[in-house]
Amino acid sequence: METTIRVEREQGGSCSEIRVGKPGGAPTLIMTDICHGWSTTTCADKLFFRGVGVTEDQGQVFFTEESRAVDAVRLVDQSIRTRWPRHEHLNLTFGAPRCEGAALVLPLSGSHMRANADGPASGFTGEIRMRSARDLRVTVRPKR
């Protein structure tokens, strides 16, 4: 399976844009506004793209066999809303990804608080464990 990765400088700016997909086809994964650097990690048929942010990282996983992309930030948001209803994350950082057998494991940390509310934020840690775009598990827990 071939995969095309294209990194361009955004027009009129110093930030980058990443596009990933099958050669000759429309990109499946698009990340924009990557202004503070980026990295990629490979684990079997999975490519993890991390855009380094000031208050929040971007993170997407491209599954080469399935030609599918999964937004890791969206998965974290869903998990936070399940664990702490009506909460959203304020910041998010992905740690060093690792391969464990066929699974890609993405450690993460950040803070969350009630949506549209004032007050202190609470910290959280967790991980995303992915075997495929459909076989994944997200864990978030209070930071100790």
Side-chain angles (χ1 to χ4, degrees):
M1 170 66 79
E2 285 187 43
T3 301
T4 300
I5 301 172
R6 188 169 157 180
V7 180
E8 293 184 355
R9 190 170 167 188
E10 289 181 348
Q11 197 165 14
S14 60
C15 298
S16 297
E17 177 178 279
I18 298 173
R19 294 175 173 265
V20 182
K22 289 183 178 179
T28 304
L29 179 151
I30 300 173
M31 292 175 70
T32 60
D33 300 325
I34 302 171
C35 305
H36 301 282
W38 63 278
S39 64
T40 185
T41 302
T42 304
C43 180
D45 71 325
K46 296 166 266 312
L47 298 169
F48 172 60
F49 292 87
R50 176 183 175 225
V52 179
V54 173
T55 60
E56 173 172 289
D57 285 353
Q58 294 184 51
Q60 291 196 40
V61 177
F62 182 76
F63 297 86
T64 59
E65 295 296 318
E66 302 172 66
S67 191
R68 290 186 55 150
V70 173
D71 185 338
V73 176
R74 197 168 287 145
L75 293 175
V76 172
D77 282 340
Q78 291 168 351
S79 189
I80 287 172
R81 284 192 300 272
T82 299
R83 175 82 189 243
W84 299 288
R86 294 182 297 282
H87 280 229
E88 58 188 20
H89 79 269
L90 292 180
N91 61 50
L92 177 61
T93 302
F94 291 102
R98 62 186 188 274
C99 284
E100 290 184 4
L104 170 65
V105 180
L106 305 174
L108 54 95
S109 63
S111 64
H112 69 92
M113 68 180 292
R114 185 178 213 80
N116 301 316
D118 293 329
S122 299
F124 69 88
T125 61
E127 70 179 22
I128 302 172
R129 183 174 295 270
M130 301 179 161
R131 291 186 172 280
S132 72
R134 290 177 175 80
D135 183 4
L136 52 88
R137 188 180 79 225
V138 182
T139 306
V140 293
R141 58 192 165 277
K143 193 176 230 173
R144 297 176 202 264

